[in-house]
């Protein structure tokens, strides 16, 4: 593989801590009323059941569709539902469906929301996602950080980065196996078994088309899709010195405020539905941070701007001495300490 050019955008390595713990502390000192937003979202379980029901109903009727129509429906309709289900899994990873006192029901709801995706990921996502919060930007602990191999492979050309965006689901779900492989837990194995059993029953009774609609649509729309822009916008360093970005456009309504990413990293114990209230409570902080109003616009810039690559990330190389493999940080509680330590 050819060495990278000297001017090629590359990782900004730092020994500075991630910014959210310090900002969280300052915000709580200045605005103690923020604690009133802590808690969970009781409506989430009903939203999840609705999404699962609609997605499976559409999958059933794809048996009557031609293949071109099926692919179009999977992308232009099912893709939005898939991202909604992904948001449910994300919320469940923070115990936002039933509260921090009931981690297992939260995980089980995540497994239920996982079913229409066709690919088991809910439980493993929680483990790696909490590590992403606690060790943000750490090259060994945070599997959200692209590898140097990926950065060199796709480079700065528009074609290379377009290929990455299309293949993004593959790298997103396989990268942890290379960066920070963890032995599967019993709940992960349960997630896999339930998903495989569901897929088998679906294929046996409904046939191939519903299965392709679900799992094909999942991988198709987690790459080059308007809502998938958040995978790029969340932490790609498009403004020098800033490693987390929020999106405040209308598509937040389709993903329950997933775009409020600075707010979410500052306060993971605030449900997504209240993140807009958090922003309004602390305008002197969040209005000063770089943000976006278009996810497709971010993806377009990522692809076409030669000064941006997968190496446009702030990265930490030092491995924490007490790096945990089964993270359960204190800020996953509703009322506990929110320092993330």
């Amino acid at each position: 593989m050819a060495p990278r050019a000297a001017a090629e955008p590359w990782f900004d390595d730092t020994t500075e801590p991630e910014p959210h713990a310090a900002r969280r502390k300052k915000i709580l000192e200045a605005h103690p009323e923020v604690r009133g937003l802590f808690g969970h979202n009781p409506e989430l379980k009903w939203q999840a059941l609705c999404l699962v029901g609609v997605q499976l109903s559409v999958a059933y009727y794809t048996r009557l569709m031609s293949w071109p129509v099926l692919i179009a429906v999977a992308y232009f309709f099912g893709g939005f539902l898939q991202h909604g289900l992904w948001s449910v899994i994300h919320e469940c990873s923070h115990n936002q469906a039933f509260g921090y006192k009931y981690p297992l029901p939260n995980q089980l709801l995540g497994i239920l929301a996982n079913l229409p995706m066709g690919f088991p990921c809910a439980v493993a996502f929680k483990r790696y996602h909490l590590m992403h919060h606690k060790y943000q930007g750490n090259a060994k602990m945070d599997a959200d950080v692209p590898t140097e191999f990926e950065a060199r492979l796709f480079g700065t050309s528009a074609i290379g980065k377009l290929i990455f965006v299309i293949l993004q689901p593959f790298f997103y779900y396989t990268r942890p196996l290379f960066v920070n492989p963890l032995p599967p837990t019993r709940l992960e194995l349960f997630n896999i078994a339930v998903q495989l059993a569901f897929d088998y029953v679906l294929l046996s009774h409904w046939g191939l088309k519903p299965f392709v609609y679900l799992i094909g649509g999942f991988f198709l729309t987690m790459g080059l899709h308007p809502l998938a822009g958040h995978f790029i916008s969340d932490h790609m360093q498009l403004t020098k010195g800033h490693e987390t970005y929020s999106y405040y456009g209308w598509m937040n309504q389709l993903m329950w405020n997933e775009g409020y990413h600075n707010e979410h990293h500052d306060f993971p114990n605030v449900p997504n539905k209240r993140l807009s209230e958090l922003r309004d409570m602390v305008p002197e902080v969040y209005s000063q941070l770089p943000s976006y109003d278009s996810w497709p616009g971010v993806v377009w810039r990522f692809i076409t701007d030669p000064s941006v690559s997968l190496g446009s990330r702030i990265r930490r190389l030092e491995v924490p001495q007490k790096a945990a493999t089964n993270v359960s940080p204190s800020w996953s509680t509703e009322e506990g300490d929110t320092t993330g330590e």
Side-chain angles (χ1 to χ4, degrees):
M1 187 175 296
R4 63 187 178 88
E8 181 180 338
W10 201 242
F11 298 94
D12 275 352
D13 293 332
T14 181
T15 57
E16 294 295 319
E18 55 84 18
H20 301 288
R23 187 159 66 221
R24 182 183 308 127
K25 183 177 180 180
K26 291 180 180 179
I27 289 175
L28 285 175
E29 289 174 351
H31 295 275
E33 67 273 16
V34 164
R35 292 185 180 275
L37 300 177
F38 295 177
H40 64 283
N41 177 11
E43 300 171 4
L44 187 63
K45 55 183 176 293
W46 306 120
Q47 294 166 337
L49 290 172
C50 181
L51 282 173
V52 170
V54 173
Q55 187 71 318
L56 292 182
S57 298
V58 175
Y60 178 81
Y61 283 104
T62 59
R63 300 179 305 160
L64 307 177
M65 299 178 185
S66 66
W67 283 106
V69 172
L70 184 152
I71 297 301
V73 171
Y75 185 85
F76 292 104
F77 180 75
F80 291 92
L81 297 181
Q82 293 285 25
H83 281 281
L85 290 166
W86 183 91
S87 296
V88 170
I89 291 174
H90 173 246
E91 285 279 80
C92 287
S93 74
H94 291 288
N95 297 321
Q96 295 294 5
F98 298 97
Y100 78 96
K101 293 181 180 179
Y102 306 100
L104 183 58
N106 281 284
Q107 288 279 64
L108 293 177
L109 182 64
I111 291 172
L112 175 66
N114 193 170
L115 292 179
M117 296 179 176
F119 175 78
C121 59
V123 178
F125 172 80
K126 175 174 181 174
R127 295 181 76 191
Y128 284 104
H129 183 65
L130 294 187
M131 296 181 79
H132 162 63
H133 273 270
K134 193 169 180 66
Y135 306 112
Q136 179 176 308
N138 187 284
K140 299 295 183 182
M141 305 298 294
D142 181 3
D144 188 71
V145 179
T147 63
E148 292 187 3
F149 170 79
E150 294 169 75
R152 289 192 176 96
L153 178 63
F154 297 105
T156 59
S157 72
I159 294 297
K161 290 184 286 185
L162 174 62
I163 292 173
F164 168 78
V165 171
I166 294 172
L167 297 178
Q168 187 171 228
F170 171 79
F171 288 94
Y172 189 83
Y173 288 105
T174 59
R175 188 185 300 137
L177 303 178
F178 297 96
V179 172
N180 186 19
L182 301 175
T185 64
R186 286 181 294 179
L187 197 56
E188 281 180 81
L189 296 175
F190 176 75
N191 186 182
I192 294 170
V194 168
Q195 188 67 60
L196 292 178
F198 175 84
D199 293 346
Y200 174 78
V201 171
L202 186 103
L203 279 165
S204 300
H205 293 274
W206 288 3
L208 182 61
K209 284 185 176 180
F211 180 72
V212 171
Y213 167 77
L214 294 176
I215 194 169
F218 171 67
F219 283 100
L220 182 67
T221 58
M222 289 293 168
L224 193 61
H225 189 274
L227 293 184
H230 73 90
F231 290 113
I232 301 294
S233 72
D234 286 348
H235 296 288
M236 193 67 63
Q237 187 183 200
L238 299 185
T239 301
K240 189 70 174 179
H242 292 271
E243 59 185 292
T244 306
Y245 302 80
S246 287
Y247 159 80
Y248 297 128
W250 65 270
M251 288 184 182
N252 272 315
Q253 299 176 47
L254 303 176
M255 290 189 67
W256 299 318
N257 290 340
E258 282 291 334
Y260 288 76
H261 210 60
N262 261 309
E263 293 85 348
H264 171 63
H265 269 265
D266 287 351
F267 294 96
N269 51 351
V270 173
N272 277 15
K273 66 174 293 185
R274 299 180 198 148
L275 290 178
S276 59
E277 297 178 55
L278 172 61
R279 183 195 182 202
D280 292 340
M281 280 186 181
V282 198
E284 72 276 15
V285 173
Y286 295 116
S287 64
Q288 301 302 312
L289 297 174
S291 61
Y292 305 117
D293 57 12
S294 171
W295 272 328
V298 172
V299 176
W300 177 257
R301 180 182 171 187
F302 169 75
I303 293 173
T304 61
D305 189 341
S307 69
V308 177
S309 79
L310 285 170
S312 300
R313 292 286 295 258
I314 293 178
R315 182 176 66 172
R316 297 169 178 86
L317 297 176
E318 182 179 354
V319 179
Q321 292 182 354
K322 295 183 179 180
T325 59
N326 197 4
V327 182
S328 181
S330 57
W331 40 249
S332 65
T333 67
E334 293 181 2
E335 300 296 339
D337 179 78
T338 55
T339 62
E341 298 298 331

